[in-house]
Amino acid sequence: YDLITIGDYDWIVVYLGYGREVSDEAIAFANDALQRYSQRNAIVATHAYLNNGGTIDEAARGQRIYDNIVVPNERLAVPSFIE
């Protein structure tokens, strides 16, 4: 992860590796970092979080990321691109 400041806003950017982002270890890593820096706005960078319709990809890793990382953490954005 990276810690950055843009203007008056502090951010944490957590990166999830492609194909590994839904492992228990990756989820624990992301949640630990997000909780440690919970006072910061957060971005979780990952692949295939959304499907072609722009909704959470329930058939792939998107739903697990949503349920286990997004829901328990506030102030979070998840950028994604469609494969």
Side-chain angles (χ1 to χ4, degrees):
Y1 61 86
D2 285 314
L3 302 175
I4 60 174
T5 299
I6 301 171
D8 293 333
Y9 298 96
D10 294 324
W11 294 85
I12 179 173
V13 182
V14 177
Y15 309 97
L16 299 176
Y18 184 71
R20 295 182 176 89
E21 61 267 47
V22 295
S23 71
D24 290 340
E25 294 83 11
I27 290 170
F29 163 79
N31 283 326
D32 179 61
L34 292 166
Q35 290 168 9
R36 184 176 303 153
Y37 297 101
S38 62
Q39 74 282 6
R40 291 175 172 259
N41 296 299
I43 298 170
V44 174
T46 190
H47 298 267
Y49 177 69
L50 302 176
N51 61 28
N52 289 336
T55 59
I56 294 171
D57 189 350
E58 296 176 11
R61 51 202 152 264
Q63 191 65 52
R64 186 154 156 86
I65 292 167
Y66 179 79
D67 292 342
N68 294 284
I69 298 173
V70 175
V71 169
N73 295 284
E74 296 179 10
R75 304 175 67 143
L76 182 65
V78 183
S80 177
F81 68 89
I82 299 166
E83 295 179 356

